[in-house]
Every structure is written in structure tokens, then in C-alpha cells.
Amino acid sequence: MSRTSSGPEWSGDMLTRPDMVEAFSTQLRGVLKSQAAFVADVRQEAEAMWKANRPEGYSSFEAWWRHRWVVGPFREIQEHLEEAAKLTFDLEARYRKGRHEIPAARQAAALEKKQAKQAPQVTAGAPGVIPPKPVEPPTAGAGGARDFLELVSKERSA
């Protein structure tokens, strides 16, 4: 199958962000649903055509059997396409959890554990142990502007 579109070629790093995976799964879901609708239309026409033009010389059981034999694969294909469309939701959820939520939770837990090890243990009533003083956050005048857009423009100019 050749690519006729002038879009970018596929590469695995295209799905590194959750919004890209969401867009991909939404687009894939749309394609699968449209194909399932196409197969359903063909199946509906095949069933109607068979019922309207029942072959001569077949008994009612044999006609039913042949009808089932012809229409059955259309039904199965349609069901598989609909199931594949449902699986795109799993694709999106597993990606988000496996690549972003679980690693972020692990990283936060590791950081918390590391900070707990580095922080001095303060015991109640222990003489000579003074807890560290809290650090004041920088004010807008002392450290420069704290506006997000200004920070972005400074980062770009640097």
C-alpha cells in the first residue's frame, strides 16, 4: 500500500505526548466506525437482496442456511471492527497511565523519599537542635518579574 498523502512519515516518537495519542486514537476510532458502518450497509443490502430474490429450487431450510453462510462473515467483520473501535479507549488510557501517570507518581515518591532522608530528624525536646528557618519566596521586585509570558520570552531570548 503506498502513501498518497503529503503528510509526515510515521515515526514512533510521534506518540510521546498524551495529546498526540488522544488525537491518534480519536482518528483511528473514526476510521474504524466508518468501516463498520460500511460493512453494516453491505450486510443490510445483502440480507435484503437475498430475502427478495430467494433462489428457486431451495427448500426453506437450505435457503436459510445459505443466507446465514453468506451473511455470517459480514456480521463477524462488523463486530470485530466495532470491538476494535472500543479498544482505542483502552489504548489511550493504558498509554496515559503507563507513560505519564505511573512514572510521575513513582518519581514523586522517590523525590519525597530522598528529601526525607536528607532532612535532619527533629526530635521533641532535644537540646541544641534547631530546625531550619523557612525560606521566603522571592518577591517580584527582588528577583525580577514572575509573569509566565515574560519568563517564556526570556527563555527564548537566552
Side-chain angles (χ1 to χ4, degrees):
M1 181 160 97
S2 64
R3 290 188 89 135
T4 58
S5 66
S6 61
E9 291 295 318
W10 167 256
S11 67
D13 60 340
M14 289 180 156
L15 296 178
T16 56
R17 297 188 337 242
D19 59 335
M20 293 294 284
V21 173
E22 181 181 357
F24 171 74
S25 62
T26 302
Q27 184 176 1
L28 180 60
R29 192 176 311 117
V31 169
L32 290 170
K33 285 181 179 181
S34 68
Q35 292 299 316
F38 173 73
V39 171
D41 290 343
V42 171
R43 176 183 170 197
Q44 183 179 12
E45 289 177 8
E47 288 178 353
M49 186 175 15
W50 184 269
K51 287 179 182 177
N53 300 316
R54 192 167 278 164
E56 296 291 327
Y58 287 148
S59 67
S60 61
F61 174 77
E62 191 174 4
W64 169 82
W65 182 258
R66 290 187 183 266
H67 172 264
R68 184 171 177 246
W69 186 259
V70 170
V71 176
F74 286 117
R75 179 181 40 80
E76 290 179 22
I77 291 169
Q78 181 182 354
E79 289 171 357
H80 287 303
L81 288 170
E82 290 170 352
E83 182 63 26
K86 290 177 188 175
L87 287 174
T88 60
F89 290 107
D90 289 342
L91 165 81
E92 188 177 340
R94 286 180 184 178
Y95 178 84
R96 186 180 59 251
K97 284 182 182 177
R99 295 286 300 262
H100 297 283
E101 291 175 3
I102 293 173
R106 285 182 181 163
Q107 186 178 17
L111 181 62
E112 185 177 311
K113 186 176 179 180
K114 182 179 177 183
Q115 288 176 348
K117 283 183 179 179
Q118 291 178 349
Q121 297 296 327
V122 178
T123 56
V129 178
I130 301 172
K133 294 182 182 179
V135 178
E136 294 292 324
T139 59
R146 290 286 175 208
D147 185 32
F148 175 72
L149 295 176
E150 290 178 19
L151 290 173
V152 170
S153 64
K154 285 181 182 179
E155 184 177 316
R156 285 186 180 174
S157 64

